[in-house]
Amino acid sequence: MSVHIAVDVGGTQLRAASYLPESLNPLKLDKIPTQGPDGSPLDRLKKLIASVIPENDTVSAIGVAAPGAVNPYQGIIHTAPNIPGWTNLALGPDLQSFFDTPVYIGNDANMAALAEWQYGAGRGHHHLIYITVSTGIGTGVIIDDRLLLGVSGLATEMGHVTVMMDGPMCGCGLRGHIEAFASGTAIAKYVEEELAKGIQSILPERTRLSAKDVAAAAYQGDQLSITAFQRAGRVLGIGLANYLHIFNPSIIIIGGGVSRSGEILFGPMRASLEENVLSSQYLDGLTLTSSTLGDEVGLLGALALARSLPGN
Amino acid sequence: MSVHIAVDVGGTQLRAASYLPESLNPLKLDKIPTQGPDGSPLDRLKKLIASVIPENDTVSAIGVAAPGAVNPYQGIIHTAPNIPGWTNLALGPDLQSFFDTPVYIGNDANMAALAEWQYGAGRGHHHLIYITVSTGIGTGVIIDDRLLLGVSGLATEMGHVTVMMDGPMCGCGLRGHIEAFASGTAIAKYVEEELAKGIQSILPERTRLSAKDVAAAAYQGDQLSITAFQRAGRVLGIGLANYLHIFNPSIIIIGGGVSRSGEILFGPMRASLEENVLSSQYLDGLTLTSSTLGDEVGLLGALALARSLPGN
């Protein structure tokens, strides 16, 4: 038989799996840390991929979900956060010649959008927005049944859209982006800064907090933590309204760790979306839902990508 | 012969023209005021269209550029600013049955994008953003050689994207949109408000100003007028940076009356774009240019639309 290989490259973990045509159940799946003593991340990745190819099977195509700025047309990873040395790395051509099979590479948020559209909450939709709220904010967009990539694959960096000129600093070095208010990093940072100002909270001062800590405190009634999520939710709602005005999709799917915070985030987000939308027509028939594929979303997106190649 | 008919519906003027296949020179072109004593705007429009169909010729298709919120899939005009009574008007079906020919309707900013892409500054590009800066701000986007419409044709209202939460009121009733800073209306309103505060200027207080008045004063060195355009240009630059992050196009085309203000607007806009872009990769190979089709842009977009219909 001929299998498709899906690969999910992360800053801490590499995952790979092989799939028979039509199946979403991996024949073989393995994961290893991205960094290790026995070789570079690239060498480790090649060994990992080789290890999930079943004996006596051939490979139809490899799909790779990779973090950071990716040129999907050329298979180049421009920058990969947390993987030193992966700068302008021609990963696609390298794997293609090493495994002698077609290789396609996509940004991880785009791959998650593809996965939800093909196999998850977005099945049957033609206009879809996926947003992952995690350490940062990533987005992927399907328009007219096609992934929006742009001329060099850099499209849909919608965490880096300005909602507040001269607002708080974003991780990218610019100000007032959605990510600077609503990412896990931004939520924790806001609480740390308020604590340093002397605002009362059950959370400890001078500690490195996570959005998960803040969510737990919010559910215990901590006002500062509730405010932090209200602020994030309000900005997310404005962002979603903007995305509706820009794309007029039929579904928005929200994934990522911070989205698991639940109603302390989604309540203010929905209220803000309704308040900031230009006309109720944008909400008519709109599905606003959570990601259904969980941790598998990267692998399944890479699988969808591999299967979308001509001849596959 | 068989001709295509292009129609440009405006709040003050109706224009229609007939074209032979392949030609951009109208066989017959006529324009009349939208309102008149002899019949409703819809009746006047039908007479106008009939008047530009050459004797002995048949009509292959009619394309219509219309202002406001349009559902291009159903040919419905939801709202048309300045044309009373045009609310949820089934213009497409009505014209289709009246003239017994296929009719396709699009929003005027989308039609301008289509015109620039097919016949103007955007020829040969596959990823294009058109922005018209006029009384309001309208946008149209071509992605992968297709017009972005969304699930019900309401996409690319990018004048109504928030860049400053809690910022100045926009014409739509929401706050801090790009249009609330950078449209002709917003530029004039800013100056009027500053004058009322007692800020010095060569412009008269308690007068209804236009962006054209402000531009003329700016070119005479009036500091308040220069500041008004700097503010508008800065926000436009942030908006353009956002659009690059969202769409990663190869060309941005700027049209509309206010864009004719020249360097007092474009200087600050370009500086702000460069300052607010996430990475120089978005600017690599990007063309940033002015509309080339002038007043014909609506008609030519409607023509491109008529010609894009199956069988045409």
Side-chain angles (χ1 to χ4, degrees):
Chain A
M1 292 287 287
S2 187
V3 298
H4 289 101
I5 304 291
V7 178
D8 189 5
V9 174
T12 55
Q13 198 177 61
L14 305 173
R15 307 170 83 199
S18 51
Y19 300 82
L20 286 172
E22 312 289 325
S23 171
L24 296 185
N25 296 317
L27 285 174
K28 295 180 88 173
L29 184 152
D30 202 5
K31 44 193 169 186
I32 56 171
T34 306
Q35 312 278 352
D38 56 336
S40 69
L42 181 57
D43 290 336
R44 296 170 63 78
L45 182 66
K46 285 176 181 167
K47 272 186 214 157
L48 175 69
I49 293 172
S51 78
V52 300
I53 303 173
E55 255 181 272
N56 307 322
D57 282 343
T58 58
V59 177
S60 310
I62 299 174
V64 181
V70 172
N71 184 323
Y73 305 112
Q74 300 172 350
I76 291 173
I77 300 191
H78 292 300
T79 54
N82 304 318
I83 312 184
W86 282 32
T87 305
N88 297 324
L89 177 75
L91 183 64
D94 188 333
L95 294 180
Q96 190 149 328
S97 95
F98 190 86
F99 290 102
D100 193 22
T101 191
V103 175
Y104 207 81
I105 297 188
N107 163 276
D108 49 11
N110 284 349
M111 293 307 95
L114 207 56
E116 290 289 349
W117 174 58
Q118 290 274 297
Y119 308 127
R123 270 174 300 179
H125 287 265
H126 309 293
H127 305 268
L128 172 154
I129 293 177
Y130 173 84
I131 172 166
T132 171
V133 187
S134 172
T135 321
I137 289 182
T139 51
V141 176
I142 306 284
I143 297 167
D144 279 327
D145 293 327
R146 291 198 286 192
L147 189 64
L148 171 55
L149 292 170
V151 69
S152 48
L154 300 170
T156 69
E157 279 292 347
M158 301 204 295
H160 298 285
V161 163
T162 312
V163 289
M164 179 60 121
M165 290 169 17
D166 307 317
M169 186 68 85
C170 185
C172 71
L174 294 167
R175 288 193 175 275
H177 290 170
I178 293 172
E179 184 169 308
F181 290 90
S183 66
T185 312
I187 291 168
K189 192 176 163 207
Y190 172 79
V191 171
E192 289 171 13
E193 286 173 358
E194 294 294 295
L195 286 171
K197 286 184 202 162
I199 304 292
Q200 287 298 308
S201 166
I202 61 172
L203 286 165
E205 204 181 332
R206 292 199 195 90
T207 314
R208 189 87 192 167
L209 296 170
S210 71
K212 212 170 171 179
D213 301 328
V214 181
Y219 279 112
Q220 287 174 59
D222 181 61
Q223 190 53 52
L224 172 59
S225 301
I226 292 169
T227 304
F229 273 96
Q230 281 172 336
R231 179 175 174 269
R234 181 178 175 221
V235 168
L236 271 182
I238 291 173
L240 295 186
N242 287 347
Y243 304 162
L244 292 184
H245 301 165
I246 294 168
F247 290 111
N248 183 206
S250 56
I251 186 167
I252 297 178
I253 301 170
I254 304 181
V258 177
S259 73
R260 292 184 205 124
S261 311
E263 275 307 297
I264 47 163
L265 181 67
F266 284 133
M269 183 189 80
R270 275 194 302 266
S272 167
L273 169 58
E274 284 168 25
E275 204 175 298
N276 286 289
V277 78
L278 202 52
S279 128
S280 62
Q281 287 178 309
Y282 288 96
L283 301 174
D284 288 350
L286 177 74
T287 302
L288 179 59
T289 189
S290 295
S291 169
T292 52
L293 300 175
D295 292 340
E296 300 296 307
V297 77
L299 269 186
L300 289 174
L303 176 63
L305 187 68
R307 287 179 176 166
S308 71
L309 287 170
N312 291 291
Chain B
M1 292 288 286
S2 188
V3 298
H4 289 100
I5 304 290
V7 179
D8 189 6
V9 175
T12 55
Q13 197 178 61
L14 305 172
R15 307 171 83 199
S18 51
Y19 299 84
L20 286 174
E22 311 289 324
S23 171
L24 296 184
N25 296 316
L27 285 175
K28 295 180 90 173
L29 185 152
D30 202 5
K31 43 193 171 186
I32 56 172
T34 307
Q35 311 278 351
D38 57 336
S40 69
L42 182 56
D43 290 337
R44 296 170 62 78
L45 182 66
K46 285 176 181 168
K47 273 187 211 154
L48 175 69
I49 294 173
S51 77
V52 300
I53 303 175
E55 256 181 88
N56 308 321
D57 282 343
T58 58
V59 177
S60 310
I62 299 174
V64 182
V70 172
N71 184 324
Y73 304 112
Q74 300 172 351
I76 292 173
I77 299 191
H78 291 300
T79 54
N82 304 317
I83 312 184
W86 282 32
T87 305
N88 296 324
L89 177 75
L91 183 64
D94 188 332
L95 294 181
Q96 190 149 327
S97 95
F98 190 85
F99 290 102
D100 194 22
T101 191
V103 175
Y104 207 79
I105 297 188
N107 164 275
D108 50 10
N110 284 349
M111 293 307 95
L114 208 55
E116 291 288 348
W117 174 58
Q118 290 275 296
Y119 308 127
R123 271 174 298 179
H125 287 265
H126 310 293
H127 305 268
L128 172 155
I129 293 178
Y130 172 85
I131 172 165
T132 171
V133 186
S134 172
T135 321
I137 288 182
T139 50
V141 175
I142 306 285
I143 297 166
D144 280 327
D145 292 327
R146 291 198 288 192
L147 190 63
L148 170 55
L149 292 170
V151 68
S152 48
L154 300 171
T156 68
E157 280 291 349
M158 300 203 296
H160 299 285
V161 164
T162 312
V163 288
M164 178 61 122
M165 289 169 20
D166 307 318
M169 186 70 83
C170 184
C172 70
L174 294 168
R175 287 191 177 277
H177 290 169
I178 294 172
E179 183 168 309
F181 290 90
S183 66
T185 312
I187 291 168
K189 193 177 163 207
Y190 171 78
V191 170
E192 289 170 13
E193 287 173 358
E194 294 293 296
L195 286 171
K197 286 184 202 162
I199 303 291
Q200 288 298 308
S201 167
I202 60 172
L203 287 165
E205 204 181 330
R206 291 198 196 91
T207 313
R208 189 85 193 169
L209 296 170
S210 72
K212 213 170 169 177
D213 302 328
V214 180
Y219 278 113
Q220 288 174 59
D222 182 60
Q223 190 53 53
L224 173 58
S225 301
I226 292 169
T227 303
F229 273 96
Q230 281 173 338
R231 179 174 175 268
R234 181 178 175 220
V235 169
L236 271 182
I238 291 173
L240 295 186
N242 287 348
Y243 304 161
L244 292 183
H245 302 164
I246 294 167
F247 290 111
N248 183 208
S250 57
I251 185 168
I252 297 179
I253 301 171
I254 304 182
V258 177
S259 74
R260 291 183 205 123
S261 313
E263 275 306 298
I264 48 164
L265 181 68
F266 284 133
M269 183 190 81
R270 277 194 301 265
S272 167
L273 169 58
E274 283 168 25
E275 204 176 298
N276 286 289
V277 78
L278 201 52
S279 126
S280 62
Q281 288 178 310
Y282 288 96
L283 301 174
D284 288 348
L286 177 74
T287 302
L288 179 60
T289 189
S290 296
S291 169
T292 52
L293 300 174
D295 292 342
E296 299 296 306
V297 78
L299 270 186
L300 289 174
L303 177 63
L305 188 67
R307 287 181 175 164
S308 72
L309 287 170
N312 292 290

